[in-house]
Amino acid sequence: MKKLGFGFMRLPLTDANDASTVDLEQVIKMTDLFMQRGFTYFDSAYVYHKKQSEHIIRKALVERYPRDSFQLCTKLPMAILTGPEDNDRIFNEQLEYCGVDYFDVYLMHAMNAERFEKAKKFGCYEYMQQKRAEGKAKKIGFSFHGQPDLLEEMILTWPDVDIIQLQINYIDWENPSVQAKKCYEIATKYNKPVIVMEPVKGGTLVNLPPEAVEIMKAEHPELSVPSWAIRFSASLENVMVVLSGMSNYEQVDDNTSYMENFQPYTEKDYETLGKVLDIFNQAAVIPCTACGYCVDGCPAGIPIPKYFGLYNNDQMAFTKNKSNNETYYRNMTDLMPKASRCIGCGKCERACPQNVKVIEGLKKVADRFENKNSR
Ligand code: SF4
Ligand code: SF4
């Protein structure tokens, strides 16, 4: 199987402010290009796109291609499970939404310490083992947003888990709050193949400072900036597939172009990346992956990832386009509540798998964009 997977979590929209309005026509074109170039792995989840992602995958993929021509993964929504009876109810809904008889991969979604306890209490893993025995979930596992010790404890608790989905990218590799390298090493030690999520960290590794782009282009003029991020993760031996949440046709075209005949990182590539990281580390960015899990519960209705994305771009653009970002912020806040409307309730921080200090981040956004004298 080729090492690039299509994540159905950042699909193109017909209304940019409503994640449920997926542009099916676009997604069909993207799916066709992906399949034509020999890629076969698709990733969805119950909660993506306000529960529309699985319906879209049925229409764009399942109803248009033979079942044995692709692999489909979806996830049990741990955040919204309320009791053991939800395991079966939701699994059956998912089969129906996706229009399939089985999943190739079925994962517990976004596991952390709290959800590990919930999974034990509700018998989620035992339920998944049963589905595996029935052939309705070929491989079972979990996607993980926690610290290495917890990962090891989970593998020891569920030793026959088939597969683990981890957040791996070049800035989180040594990042002490994510510890991607250590998590990867633990999965490898227990012979658990890894699926990589967030290889471009929600787009953060797409818009790099101009100096970093120059360094990359000097080494490989033919390769795009995101290719450095996807190839970094795909170069790890124990990685089965790298997921990219592609949002338009051009991204599918670009990603599949260099992953069709994938070339792993060379020594020179790692050296070049080291120089890029030196520049990257000078920019104080907020480690948000734009997953959007914090948004629904916010009583102030603040579009948190949108503001963090803008702030990060602003930080990394150094001297360029500063006033453009101020205009963007003004335009956004004509329609949506400002960052300074945060009441500090902390709901968002409890929902965030990246442990982002959202309240502090929003203060930085407000200082930067709402206070004319600050930069
Ligand atoms: S702390 Fe602020 S941003 Fe977070 S949920 Fe509460 S009001 Fe919204
Ligand atoms: S702040 Fe956290 S939950 Fe919210 S979009 Fe960013 S990473 Fe996701």
Side-chain angles (χ1 to χ4, degrees):
M1 190 178 82
K2 286 193 161 68
K3 268 189 159 182
L4 176 71
F6 192 161
F8 269 45
M9 73 176 295
R10 292 190 177 90
L11 296 168
L13 304 174
T14 54
D15 174 353
N17 294 316
D18 182 352
S20 69
T21 63
V22 177
D23 183 344
L24 177 62
E25 208 179 308
Q26 273 289 325
V27 177
I28 286 176
K29 285 185 189 150
M30 292 159 72
T31 302
D32 288 348
L33 179 61
F34 191 75
M35 291 290 281
Q36 271 160 26
R37 293 195 175 163
F39 296 86
T40 54
Y41 191 90
F42 291 80
D43 173 82
S44 186
Y46 191 76
V47 295
Y48 290 167
H49 285 286
K50 297 189 174 169
K51 295 196 189 169
Q52 289 307 301
S53 174
E54 291 174 337
H55 296 279
I56 293 292
I57 226 162
R58 188 187 75 236
K59 290 179 192 151
L61 176 72
V62 177
E63 290 177 353
R64 303 177 57 252
Y65 288 92
R67 179 66 186 91
D68 60 1
S69 65
F70 59 86
Q71 293 84 42
L72 177 58
C73 168
T74 195
K75 312 184 192 81
L76 182 66
M78 297 305 299
I80 60 171
L81 285 198
T82 55
E85 64 285 355
D86 280 352
N87 292 321
D88 197 46
R89 177 182 64 79
I90 291 177
F91 186 82
N92 288 326
E93 275 178 27
Q94 291 178 295
L95 288 175
E96 192 194 323
Y97 292 168
C98 293
V100 294
D101 298 327
Y102 67 92
F103 298 117
D104 298 276
V105 178
Y106 193 66
L107 306 174
M108 282 179 259
H109 198 174
M111 294 301 281
N112 54 23
E114 183 194 328
R115 290 176 193 162
F116 181 39
E117 290 312 310
K118 197 190 232 190
K120 286 190 280 184
K121 194 166 147 202
F122 294 170
C124 299
Y125 192 69
E126 292 69 21
Y127 176 80
M128 288 165 65
Q129 282 176 310
Q130 187 193 319
K131 292 292 122 184
R132 182 173 58 187
E134 291 168 11
K136 296 200 162 190
K138 304 281 180 201
K139 286 188 165 54
I140 60 172
F142 53 86
S143 67
F144 183 75
H145 291 280
Q147 296 298 299
D149 290 352
L150 176 65
L151 177 62
E152 188 150 29
E153 191 188 336
M154 288 173 66
I155 295 174
L156 292 172
T157 307
W158 299 323
D160 70 346
V161 66
D162 296 307
I163 205 150
I164 296 171
Q165 186 161 312
L166 295 175
Q167 174 168 320
I168 295 179
N169 54 63
Y170 60 72
I171 52 166
D172 286 332
W173 189 239
E174 309 263 9
N175 174 349
S177 69
V178 178
Q179 301 194 59
K181 182 169 185 246
K182 225 163 173 197
C183 289
Y184 170 78
E185 286 168 353
I186 288 170
T188 305
K189 180 170 104 179
Y190 291 98
N191 296 317
K192 307 300 176 192
V194 169
I195 301 166
V196 171
M197 58 182 161
E198 303 292 1
V200 294
K201 197 152 174 127
T204 307
L205 303 182
V206 174
N207 300 309
L208 298 193
E211 296 91 319
V213 176
E214 269 171 37
I215 291 171
M216 288 171 159
K217 286 289 172 194
E219 182 61 27
H220 287 300
E222 76 290 3
L223 290 181
S224 64
V225 169
S227 75
W228 283 83
I230 306 268
R231 286 178 57 244
F232 172 83
S233 296
S235 297
L236 298 163
E237 215 182 330
N238 187 35
V239 164
M240 182 184 92
V241 67
V242 179
L243 302 176
S244 177
M246 294 176 271
S247 303
N248 55 47
Y249 189 85
E250 291 68 32
Q251 287 173 7
V252 181
D253 189 21
D254 180 46
N255 283 345
T256 52
S257 68
Y258 57 80
M259 289 303 287
E260 212 171 352
N261 296 303
F262 167 62
Q263 299 297 323
Y265 261 47
T266 60
E267 279 306 312
K268 193 83 195 305
D269 289 338
Y270 285 113
E271 251 176 60
T272 304
L273 183 67
K275 291 180 201 157
V276 169
L277 283 170
D278 288 345
I279 294 170
F280 203 93
N281 289 334
Q282 292 165 21
V285 295
I286 298 168
C288 169
T289 61
C291 66
Y293 297 154
C294 54
V295 175
D296 283 348
C298 173
I302 298 169
I304 299 164
K306 284 191 167 65
Y307 291 165
F308 287 171
L310 184 68
Y311 180 85
N312 285 348
N313 283 347
D314 187 71
Q315 290 292 300
M316 289 193 291
F318 296 106
T319 54
K320 291 190 181 167
N321 297 326
K322 290 282 190 190
S323 59
N324 266 358
N325 294 335
E326 288 156 21
T327 309
Y328 270 118
Y329 187 75
R330 260 200 315 277
N331 292 346
M332 281 199 272
T333 51
D334 281 347
L335 302 168
M336 297 174 275
K338 289 181 176 177
S340 57
R341 294 284 295 279
C342 171
I343 56 168
C345 67
K347 271 193 179 174
C348 50
E349 296 192 355
R350 290 192 287 280
C352 178
Q354 307 294 331
N355 299 320
V356 173
K357 292 191 169 67
V358 178
I359 301 169
E360 193 183 300
L362 288 174
K363 279 192 185 125
K364 287 184 189 167
V365 173
D367 282 351
R368 166 66 187 94
F369 295 116
E370 295 177 30
N371 175 357
K372 277 189 188 152
N373 298 322
S374 70
R375 267 274 150 106

